[in-house]
Amino acid sequence: MNSSWIILGATSGIARAVIRKLAAQGHGMFLAGRNQTELEAIAADCRLRGARMAEVMTFDARDHSNYGDLITRLRDEEGELNCAVFTGSMPEQEAIDADPNMIEGVLADSLTGPATFLQMLAPLMEERGCGAIAGVGSVAGDRGRLGNYVYGAAKAGFATYLSGLRNRLGRSGVHVMTIKPGPVDTPMTYGMELPLMTTPDAVADDILNGLARKTNVLYTRKIWRLVMGIIRVIPEPIFKKMSI
Amino acid sequence: MDWKDTDYAGWGRALRAKGAIARPDTRAALNRLEAAPAFGMRRSYGDAALNSDGRAVDMSGLDRLIAFDPDTGQLQVEAGARIGEIAAAFAPRGWLPAVMPGTGFATIGGCIAQDVHGKNHHHMGSFGQHVSQITLLQNGQEISVKPGTRLFKATVGGLGQTGVILRATIKMQRCAGDVMLVTERRAPDWETHLALLDASTASYTVGWIDATATGEALGRGIVEEGESASGLVRKPKGARKVPFDAPHFALAAPVVRAFNQAYFYRVPARGRSVVRPLQDFFFPLDKIHDWNRLYGKRGFHQFQCVVPLEAADSLRAMLAEIAGSGLASPLAVLKRMGPGRAGYLSFPMEGYTLAIDFPNRPAARALIKRLEARAAEAGGRLYFAKDSLAQGAQIAAMYPDLPKWQTEVAKADPAGALETDMTRRLKLRSAT
Ligand SMILES: Cc1cc2nc3c(=O)[nH]c(=O)nc-3n(C[C@H](O)[C@H](O)[C@H](O)COP(=O)(O)OP(=O)(O)OC[C@H]3O[C@@H](n4cnc5c(N)ncnc54)[C@H](O)[C@@H]3O)c2cc1C
Ligand SMILES: NC(=O)c1ccc[n+]([C@@H]2O[C@H](COP(=O)([O-])OP(=O)(O)OC[C@H]3O[C@@H](n4cnc5c(N)ncnc54)[C@H](OP(=O)(O)O)[C@@H]3O)[C@@H](O)[C@H]2O)c1
């Protein structure tokens, strides 16, 4: 059967690593994002690595006006549809403090944009009764922290959304996986000193393994499940005095 | 953030640098950066890819395949693409890069800038001979460079001094499939070893030499010949990792001798033929990630020279000195090279090349210095991809086209913005 992957935020550092592996497996690729030049370059790369086909789509998390057209195009594509979400932005917390209006954009990039799109895609996938959705949250969504709680709130919201979507789509044979990466060495984090950093390539392997095993919530690296488990149980009166 | 202060090293980890590194993954991000030397995966052992107290651009993020023409085999790629990834993507479709070095992690930019050679140098020549176009970023401008021009000859093997290589078109070669049919034969001594290399008509030929064997057994080893083939073979296992710096006794002399002994006797006296995954044949060491850490914190040096055919006896004398020193590491490589080279500073010459690792210790450094002198006397050459100890004057004598290279480089980068630790150490851009 034909199989296709729709990638929201296909220019992201993590997405690139995932896309390569999917292309080499021969899937059709719909590469969605804002930067057409980069997307075209990635599409050409996909075709040469073995993708059945690769097509570029304009997707802006902050502008939902063309989502209907994208869904129409996807409806025409026969076979299994899958979707992976990598959009997100992480401005410095100080920048947000200086301009609280930025919160809307942060929420759009990580939560409302992709959720709106997925909500429109879900019926199509339900109808076909197969495929998977993989959405990127973050360990930062597991507890609000001094350094990045707006970003964390957006990721927490997206994780909750995906958990509900999993509950709904599981009934029709569509699997939904929430990905919670710790720090990954991409342009988003380049130059930051972060603990337990991993590579996009390792995260991509984890994601593909997780999908094969129908994992529900994937921490990558695995150690983060433990770390966040501990961080989550720290009582609030103590946690509020900590700066981690 | 564009620039990150980084503590980094060449592959041998004996030479290190501190400086700001950028790792653009889009053209736009690269365009924002001021001129600085570029590097690929830093698989060069010494300081070719280092710029102490300066800036450097890591090109490994710009690594996309751009276009392929199945009628001509021309493949256009971004400079950061790794040769092993290209091989893995194309071999199942019947194509391989015409020339591949012994590590699949080398990038196209690095393969061009060192004009690398492979196990088929005697037939196919050097990497640069299969490059049909290079796009350079020179002082903010994109320049297309074609074979036959002086700028091409200065760029291929040119250590990145003519500009940042953005993309290139390479001519791929037809292959039968993604496995290799490998014939291994024991060479009990130096004479037999050279004779087997000389007589080989295989597409790919390499000799693994036991550099610890002395006396009668001096120069013994395994001669490996390979042809590409198709067929079923189990997929290579995932790579293993060296998780920490090994203590320095890991490669102590008795361990190395025992390993080499076992490696030699692994192949039956009458030889054998086996089918191997492509990666195992071309990139045997890549299976162990970060194997350079086996040498511990102090790192290691690789000595590689080539001497003309008629100087084979000098090479034998060098090997005798190495074997007598007790300093050699597990595997050394002996190859017969053809004359093929594409740049003013390309390493290859028709003759024999020997490559061997030494731990970074005073006795080994002293030995390498003596070997360098012997290579110079024999009319041979040292390889920039491996060198970390040579001196400018010695190098200038080995590379007669150095002045031509300097003229082109002076035009391409008048301000010296692309100088690296290597060009400064060897005074490459100013030596006469
Ligand atoms: C295990 C192993 C086996 C090897 N076997 C062989 C072999 O069989 N034959 C052989 O010839 N070599 C061999 N080598 C050496 C290796 O092929 C070269 O050092 C090659 O240059 C490494 O590529 P790189 O991308 O890591 O380049 P780097 O080491 O990062 O850079 C090498 C040089 O190229 C320049 N450069 C890199 N990218 C660019 C760019 N985009 N624009 C401008 N300049 C650039 C750098 O400035 C530097 O001078 C081997 C190395 C290892 C570790
Ligand atoms: N790197 C980490 O340490 C880490 C850790 C946990 C979670 N994550 C999450 O993983 C995902 C991928 O991150 P990454 O590290 O790969 O970062 P990245 O390279 O910076 O990628 C972010 C991606 O989001 C896209 N994007 C941002 N705003 C958008 C918008 N309004 N509309 C459409 N696309 C938009 C970007 O597109 P453009 O190219 O057009 O800008 C880019 O593709 C993100 O959701 C991130 O939050 C990352």
Side-chain angles (χ1 to χ4, degrees):
Chain A
M1 185 173 50
N2 254 1
S3 153
S4 308
W5 275 89
I6 304 138
I7 312 287
L8 304 187
T11 53
S12 110
I14 301 175
R16 284 169 194 238
V18 175
I19 288 169
R20 270 189 191 186
K21 292 178 198 269
L22 292 172
Q25 292 174 2
H27 299 279
M29 306 299 295
F30 291 94
L31 306 167
R34 301 182 291 191
N35 185 336
Q36 297 305 299
T37 324
E38 281 303 309
L39 292 171
E40 289 294 354
I42 298 171
D45 181 77
C46 281
R47 289 180 206 113
L48 291 175
R49 280 173 204 269
R52 178 171 60 77
M53 62 84 160
E55 216 173 286
V56 166
M57 290 182 150
T58 302
F59 176 83
D60 186 338
R62 303 188 188 191
D63 174 3
H64 308 172
S65 58
N66 72 331
Y67 292 5
D69 300 340
L70 302 183
I71 299 294
T72 307
R73 166 67 190 94
L74 294 170
R75 184 169 288 122
D76 286 344
E77 190 70 14
E78 284 171 18
E80 180 182 282
L81 293 178
N82 302 273
C83 182
V85 179
F86 295 97
T87 58
S89 58
M90 187 175 68
E92 299 279 332
Q93 187 66 44
E94 292 90 80
I96 298 177
D97 295 344
D99 177 9
N101 283 311
M102 287 178 80
I103 292 180
E104 209 170 298
V106 173
L107 287 174
D109 297 346
S110 278
L111 171 60
T112 53
T116 305
F117 181 84
L118 290 176
Q119 203 66 14
M120 294 167 74
L121 180 67
L124 229 66
M125 295 183 67
E126 259 170 342
E127 243 166 60
R128 301 187 189 194
C130 60
I133 291 172
V136 173
S138 169
V139 295
D142 279 6
R143 191 142 195 192
R145 291 183 301 113
L146 188 64
N148 62 1
Y149 56 90
V150 170
Y151 172 75
K155 292 297 182 193
F158 192 50
T160 304
Y161 170 79
L162 289 174
S163 136
L165 193 65
R166 173 160 47 243
N167 204 317
R168 165 179 165 191
L169 294 182
R171 293 155 211 264
S172 41
V174 176
H175 181 63
V176 177
M177 179 168 86
T178 311
I179 306 159
K180 295 190 177 180
V184 188
D185 186 14
T186 69
M188 183 181 266
T189 52
Y190 192 68
M192 300 182 188
E193 285 299 326
L194 296 166
L196 298 172
M197 188 84 121
T198 185
T199 62
D201 206 52
V203 168
D205 280 335
D206 281 356
I207 292 176
L208 294 192
N209 282 333
L211 283 167
R213 290 191 198 141
K214 296 201 188 293
T215 304
N216 294 313
V217 179
L218 176 83
Y219 281 86
T220 168
R221 305 160 57 171
K222 275 199 192 67
I223 179 83
W224 283 102
R225 182 181 289 279
L226 182 71
V227 173
M228 294 319 295
I230 294 167
I231 290 181
R232 263 200 314 261
V233 298
I234 301 174
E236 201 63 21
I238 301 176
F239 190 76
K240 73 178 183 192
K241 296 191 188 118
M242 297 169 72
S243 356
I244 50 172
Chain B
M1 198 192 293
D2 282 342
W3 298 99
K4 167 166 141 186
D5 285 326
T6 310
D7 202 340
Y8 61 110
W11 184 246
R13 302 172 85 227
L15 299 189
R16 315 193 66 96
K18 276 196 173 86
I21 291 187
R23 194 188 56 198
D25 72 344
T26 61
R27 264 312 304 285
L30 179 66
N31 285 343
R32 283 203 301 269
L33 307 173
E34 64 202 59
F39 62 70
M41 290 291 282
R42 289 207 312 273
R43 257 31 188 205
S44 296
Y45 286 66
D47 47 5
L50 307 184
N51 190 19
S52 296
D53 306 316
R55 297 184 151 180
V57 183
D58 175 346
M59 295 293 288
S60 64
L62 289 161
D63 64 343
R64 286 166 297 205
L65 312 179
I66 302 169
F68 178 65
D69 180 345
D71 292 330
T72 59
Q74 302 277 352
L75 173 69
Q76 194 188 26
V77 290
E78 289 184 334
R82 285 160 281 283
I83 198 87
E85 273 198 26
I86 296 175
F90 281 87
R93 286 177 262 168
W95 295 96
L96 274 182
V99 171
M100 294 191 284
T103 173
F105 292 113
T107 65
I108 294 299
C111 288
I112 292 173
Q114 298 279 19
D115 195 17
V116 301
H117 55 271
K119 295 176 179 171
N120 57 354
H121 186 266
H122 53 301
H123 294 303
M124 300 299 285
S126 68
F127 191 86
Q129 293 179 280
H130 307 274
V131 172
S132 44
Q133 192 271 344
I134 299 172
T135 303
L136 283 180
L137 184 66
Q138 258 186 10
N139 313 306
Q141 303 260 314
E142 276 193 22
I143 313 234
S144 174
V145 191
K146 290 278 192 181
T149 61
R150 284 194 292 266
L151 183 55
F152 187 88
K153 288 191 193 130
T155 300
V156 173
L159 302 169
Q161 300 302 298
T162 59
V164 174
I165 300 165
L166 294 178
R167 348 177 242 287
T169 304
I170 62 173
K171 179 119 172 32
M172 304 278 279
Q173 182 201 351
R174 275 276 174 205
C175 70
D178 59 355
V179 298
M180 296 296 294
L181 187 61
V182 185
T183 303
E184 297 171 322
R185 269 180 292 177
R186 280 192 201 169
D189 55 35
W190 174 259
E191 258 65 45
T192 323
H193 206 141
L194 285 198
L196 285 174
L197 293 176
D198 290 346
S200 173
T201 54
S203 301
Y204 300 92
T205 310
V206 65
W208 297 100
I209 208 165
D210 174 356
T212 59
T214 52
E216 299 271 279
L218 181 75
R220 78 167 174 195
I222 304 291
V223 172
E224 229 178 66
E225 300 183 306
E227 298 294 343
S228 98
S230 65
L232 278 183
V233 66
R234 83 195 142 70
K235 282 267 167 212
K237 288 197 216 72
R240 269 173 292 187
K241 268 196 172 182
V242 178
F244 48 79
D245 294 336
H248 46 260
F249 56 78
L251 291 173
V255 180
V256 172
R257 267 198 304 276
F259 176 88
N260 280 353
Q261 185 98 359
Y263 193 87
F264 182 74
Y265 287 108
R266 184 183 62 111
V267 173
R270 61 176 192 289
R272 67 173 180 189
S273 286
V274 286
V275 177
R276 296 243 169 86
L278 196 124
Q279 294 85 324
D280 289 12
F281 178 74
F282 287 108
F283 318 126
L285 289 169
D286 290 356
K287 276 196 291 187
I288 308 169
H289 274 166
D290 305 333
W291 62 263
N292 53 347
R293 301 178 75 172
L294 277 172
Y295 289 87
K297 279 213 168 67
R298 288 179 294 194
F300 66 109
H301 298 281
Q302 182 169 99
F303 169 78
Q304 181 169 9
C305 71
V306 58
V307 301
L309 290 176
E310 58 279 8
D313 283 343
S314 315
L315 200 60
R316 185 182 194 278
M318 289 161 79
L319 184 63
E321 181 164 3
I322 294 168
S325 74
L327 290 165
S329 298
L331 291 177
V333 174
L334 182 64
K335 258 200 62 64
R336 183 168 169 156
M337 288 193 130
R341 61 206 298 269
Y344 293 134
L345 297 191
S346 295
F347 168 69
M349 68 161 76
E350 179 148 38
Y352 299 101
T353 176
L354 176 70
I356 176 159
D357 296 344
F358 295 100
N360 181 21
R361 281 194 266 150
R365 288 196 295 270
L367 171 64
I368 294 172
K369 293 262 171 205
R370 295 197 297 277
L371 296 173
E372 286 168 355
R374 280 178 186 263
E377 251 166 60
R381 244 182 227 141
L382 301 175
Y383 190 9
F384 293 116
K386 312 294 175 72
D387 173 60
S388 50
L389 294 166
Q391 263 133 48
Q394 218 171 19
I395 291 287
M398 292 172 172
Y399 287 90
D401 284 338
L402 184 64
K404 292 186 188 159
W405 179 78
Q406 287 170 339
T407 308
E408 283 308 304
V409 168
K411 281 191 266 174
D413 176 36
L418 304 178
E419 290 244 26
T420 59
D421 285 3
M422 171 167 265
T423 61
R424 281 186 292 264
R425 173 171 60 87
L426 297 174
K427 302 188 181 61
L428 285 181
R429 292 180 57 166
S430 53
T432 45

